[in-house]
Amino acid sequence: MQNKALVWKLVDEHRAEFCDLSDRVWGMPEICYTEYRSVAEHTAMLKQQGFRVTENVAGIPTAVMGETGEGGPIIAILGEYDALPGLSQESGVARPSPLPGNGHGHGCGHNLLGSAAMLAATALKEWLAETGMPGRVRYYGCPAEEGGAAKSFMARAGAFDGVDVAITWHPSGHHEVAKALSLANTRMDFAFTGRSSHAAASPHLGRSALDGVELMNVGVQFLREHVPQDSRIHYAMLDSGGIAPNVVQAKATVRYAIRSRDVHAMFDLNERVKRVAQGAALMTDTKVDISIMSAVSNLLGNRPLEEAMQRNFEALGTVPFDEADLAFAAEIQSTLSPEEIASDYRKAGVKPTNPKPLSDFIIPLDTHGETMIGSTDVGDVSWVLPTVQAHVPTMALGTPGHSWQLTAQGKMPAAHKGLTHVAKIMAATAIDVLTDKMLLAQVKKAHFEQTSETPYHCPIPEEVSPPLQPRPETL
């Protein structure tokens, strides 16, 4: 416990610096592979704290890694800093109030995610120096979690090779060890090509790419009845072929997100969706080019790591929110429906007895809630090495992910308290691994048992490269 008291003290000493880092990144929201200013902030902070820095990790300009320590096990602390389009919002305002600018916003809290992860790594760096313990800590700054699968590309490139354990977290409404549940996910583009013509004078000469897209969408709609219940298929139109209805559309493109409970089921579903597209092309006498943009694996859990993190939750307790935090959270909850708030409890598997707008309880490890799950590129890391995640509250209970309400709370005092709290939990869990050889052996054994018969295979084909975006100054 003495080791943990020391690292918690070190977290507190650096708290202000990393809350400031989080706020700066909140103020420069950048989406999928455009996080040039955000990664520059993280890189500068790593250098300021004395890490050995590697830039352009896996050939990705917005990925960075900082390492400290010598010998011993290698612990990775994973951070993120990408934002989302369309979620710009004024801080501390409990009504929709977009800021001027590009419309992006940190509607998933990744400004907090990266800053807390680096705070934990920094405290561990100083703990290693003070205790003289062997061991290495790496902070990985990972871009493009929202749809870009950067960690999948990084895993494929070997960026995590040799690491013993990965620890990360995500902003939440609850205190819990995150359940190792996620859907494998492929993002795939279907570009139809036909032949343009005058829609009235010579429609028989045209071959409509838009018809191909629409027939594909209808076919996938019927397919949804005949897939496993935990599969998900979504789409977005990237190009509908133009704005002139009197021109037969020669080109049209639709993007699909195809999700399944594990990578093998996803691969099967991918092929079924491809066949629907090929059928639509055949019906419309068009051609379809199919390309994968990104893909992620499902999460693998690690019971010994999860138990170690749970013990640290219980030792540290809950985030010390105050009355001002509760008051603003109540304002946010007033913008939510009763169903949104109730759904948050159902997903966590708990029943509120004396509900407050901010969580004041820790969810037991084996609590099972309503199974509604998304996807994350942390899944690929969890196949390569043992991985554990924390959820710590930074927002009012019921706050939907990917919402303006979440953006509004991203630099409030409650969010800063959650950031600091989770840094302590991650750092303490890392210390358990660094100081307990038996725990590390159990962690590795559990991971081997899960992957020995089905070793990791990156779901992104070798020929697919990250969809990197140019620096803003080159546009």
Side-chain angles (χ1 to χ4, degrees):
M1 201 63 183
Q2 184 177 357
N3 281 325
K4 294 178 182 180
L6 172 59
V7 83
W8 292 343
K9 173 176 174 289
L10 294 168
V11 167
D12 284 330
E13 288 176 359
H14 288 280
R15 175 186 185 278
E17 298 166 77
F18 287 91
C19 290
D20 287 347
L21 173 64
S22 175
D23 289 355
R24 292 197 300 276
V25 172
W26 185 96
M28 52 179 70
E30 299 166 301
I31 61 173
C32 195
Y33 291 111
T34 68
E35 310 92 338
Y36 288 100
R37 291 184 298 162
S38 299
V39 75
E41 291 285 349
H42 278 241
T43 302
M45 182 64 87
L46 285 169
K47 291 178 179 177
Q48 178 182 320
Q49 300 299 335
F51 285 84
R52 303 183 292 270
V53 175
T54 301
E55 300 182 57
N56 203 41
V57 175
I60 300 173
T62 53
V64 66
M65 189 269 285
E67 184 180 69
T68 187
E70 301 292 342
I74 302 175
I75 310 296
I77 313 289
L78 309 180
E80 299 165 12
Y81 31 70
D82 57 321
L84 286 156
L87 292 178
S88 174
Q89 169 65 27
E90 187 177 356
S91 174
V93 175
R95 66 178 188 282
S97 179
L99 293 167
N102 57 21
H104 304 333
H106 273 283
C108 207
H110 292 183
N111 58 303
L112 298 161
L113 199 166
S115 298
M118 199 193 301
L119 173 53
T122 298
L124 285 165
K125 172 183 177 294
E126 297 189 0
W127 178 85
L128 287 169
E130 289 201 26
T131 62
M133 282 289 298
R136 282 175 283 172
V137 175
R138 292 180 180 175
Y139 169 77
Y140 284 87
C142 307
E145 189 275 337
E146 301 288 358
K151 295 185 198 69
S152 304
F153 287 108
M154 293 165 73
R156 192 183 71 180
F160 304 106
D161 290 356
V163 177
D164 292 281
V165 164
I167 301 170
T168 189
W169 79 292
H170 201 284
S172 175
H174 295 282
H175 302 81
E176 65 176 341
V177 177
K179 299 172 182 66
L181 291 172
S182 73
L183 298 177
N185 180 358
T186 298
R187 291 200 175 200
M188 201 179 305
D189 290 350
F190 298 84
F192 286 78
T193 303
R195 186 165 66 239
S196 62
S197 69
H198 195 295
S202 54
H204 58 292
L205 299 179
R207 301 291 183 268
S208 173
L210 182 58
D211 285 354
V213 166
E214 291 192 303
L215 280 169
M216 178 188 174
N217 292 344
V218 170
V220 172
Q221 176 63 26
F222 282 96
L223 176 64
R224 287 189 178 94
E225 184 183 353
H226 305 286
V227 300
Q229 290 187 0
D230 53 10
S231 297
R232 299 285 186 270
I233 311 174
H234 333 280
Y235 71 97
M237 290 292 298
L238 301 188
D239 178 8
S240 61
I243 61 172
N246 58 335
V247 177
V248 174
Q249 295 88 348
K251 293 185 181 299
T253 301
V254 62
R255 174 169 295 166
Y256 269 80
I258 302 163
R259 307 186 202 236
S260 289
R261 184 63 190 87
D262 58 55
V263 287
H264 305 293
M266 179 188 72
F267 290 145
D268 291 343
L269 187 53
N270 286 351
E271 294 306 311
R272 296 178 72 185
V273 174
K274 287 179 184 179
R275 288 194 290 272
V276 171
Q278 291 157 354
L282 185 63
M283 286 188 286
T284 54
D285 198 17
T286 59
K287 296 180 180 179
V288 60
D289 290 322
I290 303 171
S291 58
I292 290 176
M293 175 193 173
S294 64
V296 301
S297 301
N298 55 292
L299 278 165
L300 291 183
N302 189 284
R303 183 69 182 196
L305 264 182
E306 291 161 0
E307 290 174 349
M309 179 172 276
Q310 183 74 19
R311 289 191 292 271
N312 287 304
F313 264 105
E314 292 167 358
L316 190 60
T318 59
V319 180
F321 296 120
D322 61 24
E323 290 302 318
D325 300 326
L326 293 168
F328 182 66
E331 287 187 55
I332 290 292
Q333 281 195 332
S334 72
T335 72
L336 307 175
S337 69
E339 171 60 21
E340 285 172 316
I341 297 170
S343 178
D344 204 350
Y345 284 102
R346 288 199 304 271
K347 285 188 289 186
V350 294
K351 293 182 179 180
T353 53
N354 183 26
K356 294 182 179 178
L358 289 165
S359 170
D360 62 352
F361 56 91
I362 297 168
I363 297 174
L365 191 58
D366 290 317
T367 304
H368 298 290
E370 189 177 79
T371 304
M372 295 294 290
I373 48 180
S375 306
T376 174
D377 58 7
V378 176
D380 287 81
V381 181
S382 75
W383 279 82
V384 175
L385 67 148
T387 302
V388 67
Q389 296 188 83
H391 285 163
V392 167
T394 61
M395 65 193 79
L397 282 161
T399 302
H402 297 193
S403 66
W404 67 262
Q405 289 97 332
L406 203 156
T407 309
Q409 297 172 82
K411 54 186 289 191
M412 296 297 289
H416 293 161
K417 290 169 185 171
L419 179 163
T420 307
H421 202 80
V422 77
K424 293 179 180 180
I425 289 168
M426 290 190 289
T429 305
I431 286 174
D432 288 334
V433 176
L434 289 167
T435 58
D436 188 340
K437 292 181 180 179
M438 183 175 294
L439 172 61
L440 181 56
Q442 292 169 342
V443 165
K444 291 192 169 188
K445 181 175 182 288
H447 187 260
F448 175 78
E449 289 173 349
Q450 286 190 284
T451 58
S452 57
E453 291 188 8
T454 54
Y456 175 64
H457 176 71
C458 183
I460 305 173
E462 283 292 334
E463 66 272 13
V464 176
S465 299
L468 303 180
Q469 302 297 316
R471 292 180 183 272
E473 60 267 25
T474 67
L475 295 177

